Amino acid sequence: MVSEVAGELGVRRPSRVCFAPVAESGGTRLGPRRTELWIGLPYLMGFERAELRAVIAFELAFLEARRSWLLGALLEVWKAGVRMKPAVQREIGAVVRALVTEADRAGCRVSDPRTTASAVLRGMLMSLSFDWFVHRYAADLPAHRYLPLDLYPAWRWKVHKDDLLARLMPRYLELSAADSLGLDATSRMAELGVVLDQPPGPAADPIMSTPGLAVEARFARCRLGDVLACTPAMRRELTFPDVPDTIWDEIMKCRHDQVLRAAAALTGREHLTLADLMEILAAGRGVELVREHREGVCTHPTAGVCVLFPVLHRHLRMRGYRYGQALRQRELIGPGGDHVDVVRLAEAIERGDPLPEIGPLRYQPAG
């Protein structure tokens, strides 16, 4: 496929093609005349073939542009996130945006504008969803001596069976609206003359369904390598369904305590009530309590839901509610068999529904 796309574009083929453990793609210069194209493993299983052709065309066009020493240097500076004056940032950003637009048009040459736009949106959402999943479900487990080898199958389940892309898209659109440089998916699709307001569905014609458990386990170890380096050497390799519920409770308690610690610092009161949290939210200061929602893409519709979620979740668990699905932790099942969607409960409370009876909210102060 890479050879075909390179031939259609009339550009040099990369010297090497490889797969990477991330949900992204990119190109690297290995030398004066040698280049490498790497494609994230999830792309092979999540993209339509026609979409992947557009992705390959985009990356080959970028590699071709980087043969220019000046453009290559500008791109390296941009990618490195070097601090610079706003005027300089705008000038370099304009160059990068022009290169991105030209690369997207290369995708249209081997595909069509709508397919290319779909590839842009899918790639952005898949990358964000994979990073979100690693942070939310996997990154804390090595500290408890667990390593989930089914990282990729579990993430695919969230994408295909739990509407992860659809739940992330509203927050992504909210953040991209503030992108003045026009490098977000919405701006790139507008340049192509295509508007897609719904996340792409599961790919019907991917390159492969799975490379096999052994390969995905190797990629899981690789992807979590940075986390593993900071955790105990002795760990148990398992799958997400085998993680004890007590571990999920400990992880949720950490998020619960982070919210209460931030609220205590904001109000000067160490012990709070749910009503105190609601006062903070009503004052529009919810974003000050949750870093995840403030700084990145989140499945929760508002910062208020982010604040209330770990508090309500821990309260319900203490009352005997259990997990129904290890990878769908927003849903808890009560002793009587009733199902509670904790996100919807938080939304209802934020809208003004009566507060449930919850005792004083306490956390264990550090030190």
Side-chain angles (χ1 to χ4, degrees):
M1 182 181 284
V2 173
S3 297
E4 289 174 0
V5 171
E8 292 178 41
L9 294 178
V11 300
R12 194 177 303 175
R13 290 184 299 175
S15 310
R16 183 167 67 182
V17 177
C18 60
F19 303 140
V22 294
E24 297 171 350
S25 61
T28 306
R29 293 186 65 182
L30 303 176
R33 298 179 60 84
R34 299 185 68 244
T35 57
E36 173 186 271
L37 172 66
W38 51 268
I39 302 171
L41 182 66
Y43 275 33
L44 298 181
M45 298 170 284
F47 270 65
E48 303 285 359
R49 290 172 183 263
E51 292 174 339
L52 195 57
R53 282 172 55 85
V55 170
I56 292 170
F58 178 94
E59 298 299 349
L60 293 183
F62 245 93
L63 277 174
E64 195 69 15
R66 290 172 65 181
R67 295 185 189 281
S68 160
W69 179 88
L70 178 58
L71 288 178
L74 283 175
L75 285 171
E76 289 302 320
V77 169
W78 182 264
K79 287 169 56 181
V82 177
R83 294 185 64 180
M84 59 189 78
K85 294 180 179 179
V88 176
Q89 185 182 42
R90 286 193 296 271
E91 288 186 20
I92 297 180
V95 174
V96 174
R97 178 176 180 179
L99 290 174
V100 168
T101 299
E102 194 60 33
D104 282 335
R105 288 172 181 163
C108 294
R109 287 167 57 189
V110 301
S111 190
D112 60 80
R114 186 171 185 83
T115 300
T116 302
S118 180
V120 168
L121 181 59
R122 189 191 295 276
M124 196 72 71
L125 291 176
M126 284 181 67
S127 177
L128 293 169
S129 72
F130 188 65
D131 288 344
W132 176 91
F133 181 77
V134 169
H135 170 74
R136 174 66 180 80
Y137 280 91
D140 292 320
L141 292 180
H144 297 275
R145 301 181 185 272
Y146 292 109
L147 173 62
L149 295 182
D150 59 338
L151 177 68
Y152 290 87
W155 168 72
R156 285 198 302 276
W157 185 89
K158 290 290 287 186
V159 170
H160 297 157
K161 303 296 184 182
D162 202 34
D163 298 324
L164 181 55
L165 300 189
R167 292 188 292 115
L168 285 172
M169 189 166 171
R171 177 62 177 159
Y172 170 70
L173 294 178
E174 181 183 343
L175 291 175
S176 64
D179 185 350
S180 60
L181 297 174
L183 296 175
D184 58 284
T186 304
S187 300
R188 291 171 61 186
M189 289 189 295
E191 288 284 350
L192 297 171
V194 178
V195 176
L196 300 176
D197 56 3
Q198 296 295 325
D205 185 31
I207 297 296
M208 64 172 66
S209 58
T210 173
L213 294 179
V215 173
E216 291 190 317
R218 285 178 55 200
F219 272 66
R221 295 188 190 97
C222 181
R223 177 61 184 84
L224 296 173
D226 291 341
V227 178
L228 297 175
C230 304
T231 59
M234 295 297 293
R235 60 184 64 90
R236 176 187 172 192
E237 295 183 339
L238 41 55
T239 61
F240 280 103
D242 296 325
V243 177
D245 289 351
T246 53
I247 299 300
W248 297 124
D249 287 341
E250 285 188 45
I251 293 172
M252 189 64 68
K253 182 181 184 300
C254 287
R255 296 190 172 97
H256 167 276
D257 288 353
Q258 286 168 2
V259 167
L260 297 188
R261 191 172 294 112
L266 199 61
T267 61
R269 299 192 299 270
E270 188 171 296
H271 302 299
L272 304 98
T273 65
L274 188 56
D276 293 328
L277 287 182
M278 293 306 302
E279 286 183 13
I280 296 174
L281 299 181
R285 307 188 70 180
V287 292
E288 299 179 42
L289 306 183
V290 280
R291 179 174 55 82
E292 289 84 355
H293 195 91
R294 178 173 69 249
E295 298 179 358
V297 174
C298 178
T299 57
H300 297 149
T302 66
V305 173
C306 255
V307 169
L308 294 171
F309 181 83
V311 174
L312 296 172
H313 193 284
R314 180 160 174 76
H315 169 67
L316 291 170
R317 283 288 292 159
M318 297 293 286
R319 289 183 54 186
Y321 280 71
R322 58 184 174 85
Y323 296 101
Q325 157 62 266
L327 296 176
R328 187 186 279 149
Q329 294 186 10
R330 67 184 183 278
E331 182 180 90
L332 296 175
I333 303 173
D338 56 310
H339 289 241
V340 174
D341 187 317
V342 185
V343 171
R344 291 186 179 178
L345 176 61
E347 287 182 282
I349 292 174
E350 191 178 30
R351 289 194 303 266
D353 281 13
L355 298 179
E357 290 186 11
I358 300 180
L361 304 175
R362 297 186 177 89
Y363 67 95
Q364 192 68 34

Short mmCIF file of all heavy atoms in Angstrom, two decimals, residues 256 259-282 289 304 307-308 310-312 315 349 354-363:
data_model
loop_
_atom_site.label_atom_id
_atom_site.label_comp_id
_atom_site.label_asym_id
_atom_site.label_seq_id
_atom_site.Cartn_x
_atom_site.Cartn_y
_atom_site.Cartn_z
N HIS A 256 -10.77 10.57 44.16
CA HIS A 256 -11.68 11.15 45.16
C HIS A 256 -10.91 12.11 46.07
O HIS A 256 -11.32 13.26 46.30
CB HIS A 256 -12.32 10.00 45.94
CG HIS A 256 -13.04 10.38 47.18
ND1 HIS A 256 -12.38 10.57 48.39
CD2 HIS A 256 -14.36 10.60 47.44
CE1 HIS A 256 -13.26 10.89 49.33
NE2 HIS A 256 -14.47 10.91 48.78
N VAL A 259 -9.75 15.42 44.36
CA VAL A 259 -10.82 16.41 44.27
C VAL A 259 -11.02 17.11 45.60
O VAL A 259 -11.10 18.34 45.68
CB VAL A 259 -12.13 15.76 43.79
CG1 VAL A 259 -13.32 16.68 44.00
CG2 VAL A 259 -12.03 15.35 42.33
N LEU A 260 -11.11 16.32 46.69
CA LEU A 260 -11.36 16.91 48.01
C LEU A 260 -10.18 17.75 48.48
O LEU A 260 -10.36 18.79 49.13
CB LEU A 260 -11.66 15.81 49.02
CG LEU A 260 -12.92 14.97 48.76
CD1 LEU A 260 -13.19 14.07 49.94
CD2 LEU A 260 -14.13 15.86 48.48
N ARG A 261 -8.96 17.31 48.13
CA ARG A 261 -7.78 18.09 48.53
C ARG A 261 -7.79 19.44 47.83
O ARG A 261 -7.48 20.48 48.42
CB ARG A 261 -6.52 17.30 48.19
CG ARG A 261 -5.24 17.89 48.78
CD ARG A 261 -4.06 16.97 48.56
NE ARG A 261 -4.23 15.73 49.31
CZ ARG A 261 -4.42 14.53 48.73
NH1 ARG A 261 -4.47 14.43 47.42
NH2 ARG A 261 -4.56 13.45 49.47
N ALA A 262 -8.13 19.43 46.54
CA ALA A 262 -8.20 20.69 45.79
C ALA A 262 -9.31 21.58 46.32
O ALA A 262 -9.16 22.80 46.43
CB ALA A 262 -8.42 20.40 44.30
N ALA A 263 -10.45 20.97 46.70
CA ALA A 263 -11.57 21.75 47.24
C ALA A 263 -11.20 22.34 48.60
O ALA A 263 -11.56 23.47 48.92
CB ALA A 263 -12.81 20.87 47.36
N ALA A 264 -10.47 21.57 49.41
CA ALA A 264 -10.05 22.07 50.72
C ALA A 264 -9.09 23.25 50.56
O ALA A 264 -9.17 24.24 51.29
CB ALA A 264 -9.39 20.95 51.51
N ALA A 265 -8.18 23.13 49.60
CA ALA A 265 -7.24 24.23 49.36
C ALA A 265 -7.97 25.47 48.87
O ALA A 265 -7.58 26.60 49.17
CB ALA A 265 -6.19 23.79 48.35
N LEU A 266 -9.05 25.25 48.11
CA LEU A 266 -9.79 26.38 47.55
C LEU A 266 -10.64 27.09 48.60
O LEU A 266 -10.79 28.31 48.57
CB LEU A 266 -10.69 25.86 46.41
CG LEU A 266 -11.22 26.87 45.39
CD1 LEU A 266 -10.07 27.53 44.66
CD2 LEU A 266 -12.14 26.16 44.41
N THR A 267 -11.20 26.30 49.52
CA THR A 267 -12.13 26.87 50.51
C THR A 267 -11.49 27.12 51.87
O THR A 267 -12.04 27.86 52.69
CB THR A 267 -13.32 25.93 50.72
OG1 THR A 267 -12.85 24.66 51.23
CG2 THR A 267 -14.07 25.70 49.41
N GLY A 268 -10.33 26.48 52.12
CA GLY A 268 -9.71 26.61 53.43
C GLY A 268 -10.32 25.69 54.47
O GLY A 268 -9.99 25.77 55.65
N ARG A 269 -11.24 24.80 54.04
CA ARG A 269 -11.89 23.87 54.96
C ARG A 269 -11.45 22.44 54.63
O ARG A 269 -11.59 22.00 53.49
CB ARG A 269 -13.42 23.98 54.86
CG ARG A 269 -13.96 25.35 55.21
CD ARG A 269 -15.48 25.32 55.39
NE ARG A 269 -16.18 24.91 54.18
CZ ARG A 269 -16.61 25.76 53.25
NH1 ARG A 269 -16.37 27.06 53.36
NH2 ARG A 269 -17.26 25.32 52.19
N GLU A 270 -10.95 21.74 55.63
CA GLU A 270 -10.44 20.39 55.39
C GLU A 270 -11.56 19.38 55.22
O GLU A 270 -11.45 18.43 54.45
CB GLU A 270 -9.51 19.98 56.52
CG GLU A 270 -8.78 18.68 56.26
CD GLU A 270 -7.73 18.41 57.31
OE1 GLU A 270 -6.78 19.20 57.41
OE2 GLU A 270 -7.87 17.41 58.04
N HIS A 271 -12.65 19.55 55.93
CA HIS A 271 -13.78 18.63 55.84
C HIS A 271 -14.93 19.35 55.16
O HIS A 271 -15.36 20.41 55.60
CB HIS A 271 -14.19 18.14 57.23
CG HIS A 271 -13.08 17.47 57.97
ND1 HIS A 271 -12.46 16.33 57.52
CD2 HIS A 271 -12.45 17.79 59.14
CE1 HIS A 271 -11.52 15.96 58.37
NE2 HIS A 271 -11.49 16.84 59.37
N LEU A 272 -15.42 18.74 54.09
CA LEU A 272 -16.46 19.36 53.30
C LEU A 272 -17.67 18.45 53.20
O LEU A 272 -17.63 17.28 53.60
CB LEU A 272 -15.94 19.67 51.88
CG LEU A 272 -14.69 20.55 51.78
CD1 LEU A 272 -13.47 19.67 51.59
CD2 LEU A 272 -14.82 21.50 50.59
N THR A 273 -18.74 18.99 52.64
CA THR A 273 -19.93 18.21 52.34
C THR A 273 -20.17 18.27 50.84
O THR A 273 -19.53 19.05 50.12
CB THR A 273 -21.16 18.78 53.06
OG1 THR A 273 -21.44 20.09 52.53
CG2 THR A 273 -20.92 18.87 54.56
N LEU A 274 -21.10 17.46 50.37
CA LEU A 274 -21.44 17.49 48.94
C LEU A 274 -22.01 18.86 48.58
O LEU A 274 -21.77 19.38 47.48
CB LEU A 274 -22.46 16.39 48.63
CG LEU A 274 -22.78 16.15 47.15
CD1 LEU A 274 -21.53 15.86 46.35
CD2 LEU A 274 -23.77 14.99 47.01
N ALA A 275 -22.73 19.47 49.52
CA ALA A 275 -23.26 20.81 49.27
C ALA A 275 -22.14 21.83 49.07
O ALA A 275 -22.26 22.76 48.27
CB ALA A 275 -24.16 21.24 50.43
N ASP A 276 -21.01 21.65 49.79
CA ASP A 276 -19.86 22.54 49.62
C ASP A 276 -19.31 22.43 48.20
O ASP A 276 -18.97 23.43 47.57
CB ASP A 276 -18.76 22.21 50.62
CG ASP A 276 -19.16 22.49 52.06
OD1 ASP A 276 -19.95 23.44 52.26
OD2 ASP A 276 -18.71 21.77 52.96
N LEU A 277 -19.23 21.19 47.70
CA LEU A 277 -18.76 21.00 46.33
C LEU A 277 -19.70 21.67 45.34
O LEU A 277 -19.25 22.28 44.36
CB LEU A 277 -18.63 19.50 46.01
CG LEU A 277 -17.48 18.74 46.66
CD1 LEU A 277 -17.49 17.29 46.19
CD2 LEU A 277 -16.14 19.38 46.34
N MET A 278 -20.99 21.56 45.58
CA MET A 278 -21.97 22.16 44.67
C MET A 278 -21.83 23.68 44.66
O MET A 278 -22.02 24.32 43.64
CB MET A 278 -23.39 21.75 45.08
CG MET A 278 -23.68 20.26 44.88
SD MET A 278 -23.35 19.68 43.21
CE MET A 278 -24.40 20.75 42.25
N GLU A 279 -21.50 24.26 45.81
CA GLU A 279 -21.29 25.72 45.85
C GLU A 279 -20.10 26.11 44.98
O GLU A 279 -20.14 27.13 44.27
CB GLU A 279 -21.04 26.16 47.30
CG GLU A 279 -22.29 26.16 48.17
CD GLU A 279 -21.99 26.67 49.58
OE1 GLU A 279 -20.88 27.24 49.77
OE2 GLU A 279 -22.83 26.49 50.47
N ILE A 280 -19.05 25.32 45.02
CA ILE A 280 -17.87 25.59 44.19
C ILE A 280 -18.23 25.49 42.71
O ILE A 280 -17.84 26.33 41.89
CB ILE A 280 -16.73 24.62 44.54
CG1 ILE A 280 -16.27 24.85 45.97
CG2 ILE A 280 -15.57 24.78 43.56
CD1 ILE A 280 -15.25 23.84 46.46
N LEU A 281 -19.02 24.47 42.37
CA LEU A 281 -19.42 24.29 40.97
C LEU A 281 -20.33 25.42 40.52
O LEU A 281 -20.20 25.92 39.39
CB LEU A 281 -20.13 22.94 40.80
CG LEU A 281 -19.32 21.69 41.14
CD1 LEU A 281 -20.15 20.44 40.90
CD2 LEU A 281 -18.03 21.65 40.33
N ALA A 282 -21.25 25.83 41.39
CA ALA A 282 -22.17 26.92 41.04
C ALA A 282 -21.42 28.23 40.80
O ALA A 282 -21.86 29.08 40.02
CB ALA A 282 -23.21 27.10 42.15
N LEU A 289 -10.66 22.18 40.22
CA LEU A 289 -10.57 20.98 41.06
C LEU A 289 -10.12 19.74 40.30
O LEU A 289 -9.73 18.75 40.91
CB LEU A 289 -11.93 20.69 41.72
CG LEU A 289 -12.57 21.82 42.53
CD1 LEU A 289 -13.85 21.32 43.17
CD2 LEU A 289 -11.61 22.34 43.59
N GLY A 304 -17.96 19.91 36.20
CA GLY A 304 -18.75 19.55 37.37
C GLY A 304 -18.96 18.05 37.50
O GLY A 304 -18.88 17.49 38.60
N VAL A 307 -15.85 16.49 38.76
CA VAL A 307 -15.70 16.68 40.20
C VAL A 307 -16.55 15.69 40.97
O VAL A 307 -16.10 15.05 41.94
CB VAL A 307 -16.07 18.13 40.59
CG1 VAL A 307 -16.17 18.27 42.11
CG2 VAL A 307 -15.05 19.12 40.03
N LEU A 308 -17.80 15.55 40.56
CA LEU A 308 -18.76 14.73 41.31
C LEU A 308 -18.55 13.23 41.11
O LEU A 308 -18.87 12.44 42.00
CB LEU A 308 -20.19 15.10 40.90
CG LEU A 308 -20.65 16.52 41.28
CD1 LEU A 308 -22.00 16.81 40.63
CD2 LEU A 308 -20.74 16.66 42.79
N PRO A 310 -15.94 10.91 41.04
CA PRO A 310 -15.26 10.05 42.02
C PRO A 310 -15.91 10.09 43.40
O PRO A 310 -15.87 9.10 44.14
CB PRO A 310 -13.83 10.61 42.05
CG PRO A 310 -13.96 12.00 41.56
CD PRO A 310 -15.08 12.01 40.58
N VAL A 311 -16.54 11.22 43.75
CA VAL A 311 -17.19 11.33 45.06
C VAL A 311 -18.42 10.42 45.11
O VAL A 311 -18.60 9.64 46.06
CB VAL A 311 -17.59 12.80 45.34
CG1 VAL A 311 -18.40 12.90 46.62
CG2 VAL A 311 -16.35 13.67 45.42
N LEU A 312 -19.26 10.50 44.09
CA LEU A 312 -20.46 9.66 44.04
C LEU A 312 -20.09 8.19 43.86
O LEU A 312 -20.71 7.30 44.47
CB LEU A 312 -21.36 10.11 42.88
CG LEU A 312 -21.94 11.53 43.00
CD1 LEU A 312 -22.64 11.91 41.71
CD2 LEU A 312 -22.89 11.62 44.18
N HIS A 315 -18.96 6.77 47.12
CA HIS A 315 -20.10 6.67 48.03
C HIS A 315 -20.93 5.42 47.71
O HIS A 315 -21.32 4.66 48.62
CB HIS A 315 -20.96 7.92 47.91
CG HIS A 315 -22.29 7.83 48.60
ND1 HIS A 315 -22.42 7.74 49.97
CD2 HIS A 315 -23.56 7.79 48.09
CE1 HIS A 315 -23.69 7.65 50.29
NE2 HIS A 315 -24.41 7.69 49.17
N ILE A 349 -27.51 15.81 39.31
CA ILE A 349 -27.24 16.62 40.51
C ILE A 349 -26.76 18.01 40.11
O ILE A 349 -27.16 19.02 40.70
CB ILE A 349 -26.20 15.91 41.40
CG1 ILE A 349 -26.81 14.63 41.98
CG2 ILE A 349 -25.72 16.83 42.51
CD1 ILE A 349 -25.83 13.78 42.76
N PRO A 354 -32.19 16.76 43.71
CA PRO A 354 -31.86 16.67 45.14
C PRO A 354 -30.55 15.92 45.38
O PRO A 354 -30.25 14.93 44.72
CB PRO A 354 -33.05 15.91 45.75
CG PRO A 354 -34.17 16.14 44.78
CD PRO A 354 -33.54 16.21 43.42
N LEU A 355 -29.77 16.41 46.34
CA LEU A 355 -28.51 15.77 46.67
C LEU A 355 -28.76 14.50 47.48
O LEU A 355 -29.61 14.49 48.37
CB LEU A 355 -27.63 16.72 47.50
CG LEU A 355 -27.21 18.03 46.84
CD1 LEU A 355 -26.38 18.85 47.82
CD2 LEU A 355 -26.41 17.76 45.58
N PRO A 356 -28.04 13.42 47.20
CA PRO A 356 -28.18 12.21 48.01
C PRO A 356 -27.56 12.44 49.39
O PRO A 356 -26.76 13.36 49.59
CB PRO A 356 -27.40 11.16 47.22
CG PRO A 356 -26.40 11.95 46.43
CD PRO A 356 -27.07 13.25 46.09
N GLU A 357 -27.95 11.60 50.31
CA GLU A 357 -27.40 11.71 51.67
C GLU A 357 -26.00 11.11 51.70
O GLU A 357 -25.83 9.90 51.58
CB GLU A 357 -28.31 10.99 52.67
CG GLU A 357 -29.65 11.70 52.90
CD GLU A 357 -30.45 11.03 54.00
OE1 GLU A 357 -29.87 10.19 54.70
OE2 GLU A 357 -31.63 11.36 54.15
N ILE A 358 -25.01 11.95 51.86
CA ILE A 358 -23.61 11.52 51.94
C ILE A 358 -23.01 12.18 53.16
O ILE A 358 -23.16 13.38 53.38
CB ILE A 358 -22.82 11.92 50.67
CG1 ILE A 358 -23.44 11.26 49.43
CG2 ILE A 358 -21.35 11.50 50.80
CD1 ILE A 358 -22.71 11.60 48.14
N GLY A 359 -22.33 11.40 53.97
CA GLY A 359 -21.72 11.93 55.17
C GLY A 359 -20.60 12.90 54.84
O GLY A 359 -20.32 13.20 53.66
N PRO A 360 -19.93 13.46 55.85
CA PRO A 360 -18.83 14.39 55.63
C PRO A 360 -17.78 13.78 54.70
O PRO A 360 -17.43 12.60 54.81
CB PRO A 360 -18.27 14.62 57.04
CG PRO A 360 -19.42 14.32 57.95
CD PRO A 360 -20.17 13.21 57.29
N LEU A 361 -17.29 14.60 53.76
CA LEU A 361 -16.30 14.15 52.82
C LEU A 361 -14.92 14.44 53.37
O LEU A 361 -14.55 15.59 53.61
CB LEU A 361 -16.49 14.90 51.48
CG LEU A 361 -17.89 14.78 50.86
CD1 LEU A 361 -17.98 15.65 49.62
CD2 LEU A 361 -18.22 13.32 50.53
N ARG A 362 -14.16 13.37 53.59
CA ARG A 362 -12.84 13.53 54.19
C ARG A 362 -11.80 12.84 53.32
O ARG A 362 -12.09 11.90 52.59
CB ARG A 362 -12.79 12.90 55.60
CG ARG A 362 -13.72 13.56 56.62
CD ARG A 362 -13.47 12.96 57.99
NE ARG A 362 -14.28 13.61 59.02
CZ ARG A 362 -15.50 13.21 59.36
NH1 ARG A 362 -16.04 12.17 58.75
NH2 ARG A 362 -16.16 13.83 60.30
N TYR A 363 -10.61 13.31 53.43
CA TYR A 363 -9.47 12.66 52.80
C TYR A 363 -8.34 12.61 53.80
O TYR A 363 -8.37 13.28 54.83
CB TYR A 363 -9.03 13.39 51.53
CG TYR A 363 -8.44 14.76 51.80
CD1 TYR A 363 -7.06 14.92 51.92
CD2 TYR A 363 -9.26 15.89 51.96
CE1 TYR A 363 -6.50 16.17 52.19
CE2 TYR A 363 -8.72 17.13 52.22
CZ TYR A 363 -7.34 17.25 52.32
OH TYR A 363 -6.81 18.48 52.59
#
